[in-house]
Amino acid sequence: MSDGNTPGKASGDAELKATLTKTVVSGNRATLHLYLTAILGLLFLLGLLSPSSAQFLAMIPANTAMVHFRIWNLVTAAYYENSLLMGALNIGVALVVGRMLERKWGAEYLKLMVAVNLATMVSIFIIMVACYATTMSDTFLFSPVCGFSAANAAFGVALKQLAPEQNCISSIDAIKFKDIPAVVVACAIACNMLGLTLLKDLLLVIFGTYFGWLYLRYFMAYPGSSLRGDTSEHFAFKMLFPVYVRPIGAMFGNLSFWACEACGFCKVVEPPQEVQTSKTSAPELPDVPETTDAERQVIERRRALAMKAINKRLEELRAAKQRKAASPSPVHPSEQSENGEPAAEHRINVKE
């Protein structure tokens, strides 16, 4: 899958050059991100005003598949939020970055969002059930998981793919779009260690970053391209992180590729081999098929007949030339001698 009709760097795109200014949120060319932001805002207010709504909208393993079988929680949990800090942050990022991605990809960015959110919630559900089976702690079964952090982390990966050298803030050169995935994961780890966020927020960011890269790498249908995914070298999983942790990233990237290849989602495509030839080299001759003895005899016979016909024709031309040279050619009355005077047999005696 590849990397031709595949998406490359788009740092020259005017929309992607817009940063956290009024330019980003002005205009009416993109509207889907506004509907998304409105939904997030309504569910955010619902989570703040009615905390009990988490029992129906958040992903609680016991309620999702063990007690009440509210399986829809795997979908609704990603858009429901009951934390003031994370809710405000996620809505702001969805508004700003969502508009940029919508104007670049259209509705395809919503497919990225839905795929990442669903994969993240399923993964966290499996991990929490496994932790409960290991520790027998009810905390893993009844802790609510919700928030839009996974999709926003995936949006950060998308920005790194589209315009890696673009500044996040136009006046600051230190942080570029290519640094967003590493910075987001590092901030999530630091906030969790400082007690500012919960473990579920850290898991949402980590899984959102990974599944965002996985979808963009192997499954994304980019507008204007007949291929799926982006297999360019600069978008390898290890390239999301600093140099000193890239060996670990390369390991996860290789495991992801082998898993996708085993499932038939991707395959190795050998690049065409280019034959380099100099301008003065002779063109390659086509292969001559082998001939049998009978064919060789026919070819020799035809060659002998052709040589005989050529020799006969040459003899006829030579004889005709000799006959022409032996016969005298008539002299025209207007012809003159070599000294410019009229020929003797044609002179006129004036005295007569």
Side-chain angles (χ1 to χ4, degrees), residues 2-13 16 101 104-105 157-166 177 216-217 220 222-225 227 229-235:
S2 177
D3 325 322
N5 296 322
T6 58
K9 297 180 181 179
S11 55
D13 189 283
L16 292 176
L101 296 181
K104 191 67 180 179
W105 291 337
V157 177
L159 291 180
K160 180 256 185 290
Q161 179 200 32
L162 288 173
E165 299 301 328
Q166 174 63 36
F177 282 172
L216 293 171
R217 181 73 165 176
M220 179 72 171
Y222 295 96
S225 174
L227 301 177
D230 178 7
T231 57
S232 58
E233 180 62 26
H234 83 277
F235 196 57

Side-chain angles (χ1 to χ4, degrees), residues 114-283:
V114 172
V116 170
N117 283 335
L118 182 59
T120 298
M121 288 302 170
V122 171
S123 300
I124 294 178
F125 172 81
I126 295 173
I127 289 176
M128 295 184 73
V129 171
C131 290
Y132 169 75
T134 303
T135 63
M136 299 304 295
S137 174
D138 293 341
T139 303
F140 295 105
L141 287 183
F142 295 97
S143 296
V145 178
C146 58
F148 201 68
S149 301
N152 281 337
F155 291 167
V157 177
L159 291 180
K160 180 256 185 290
Q161 179 200 32
L162 288 173
E165 299 301 328
Q166 174 63 36
N167 294 341
C168 292
I169 301 177
S170 58
S171 59
I172 301 178
D173 295 332
I175 302 179
K176 299 182 181 296
F177 282 172
K178 65 181 180 181
D179 304 319
I180 290 179
V183 171
V184 169
V185 172
C187 290
I189 295 175
C191 290
N192 181 257
M193 294 178 64
L194 295 175
L196 300 177
T197 57
L198 301 175
L199 177 61
K200 61 101 174 177
D201 298 309
L202 176 60
L203 293 177
L204 288 172
V205 170
I206 292 176
F207 280 112
T209 300
Y210 173 73
F211 285 120
W213 169 82
L214 188 69
Y215 184 85
L216 293 171
R217 181 73 165 176
Y218 297 111
F219 303 100
M220 179 72 171
Y222 295 96
S225 174
S226 59
L227 301 177
R228 285 186 176 270
D230 178 7
T231 57
S232 58
E233 180 62 26
H234 83 277
F235 196 57
F237 187 69
K238 65 180 181 181
M239 302 302 292
L240 302 181
F241 305 102
V243 177
Y244 50 85
V245 295
R246 284 180 182 176
I248 301 176
M251 179 184 66
F252 282 100
N254 292 334
L255 290 175
S256 301
F257 172 75
W258 293 333
C260 291
E261 186 181 22
C263 296
F265 296 136
C266 63
K267 62 181 180 178
V268 178
V269 179
E270 295 294 339
Q273 298 181 354
E274 297 182 358
V275 179
Q276 298 180 353
T277 57
S278 61
K279 295 182 180 179
T280 58
S281 61

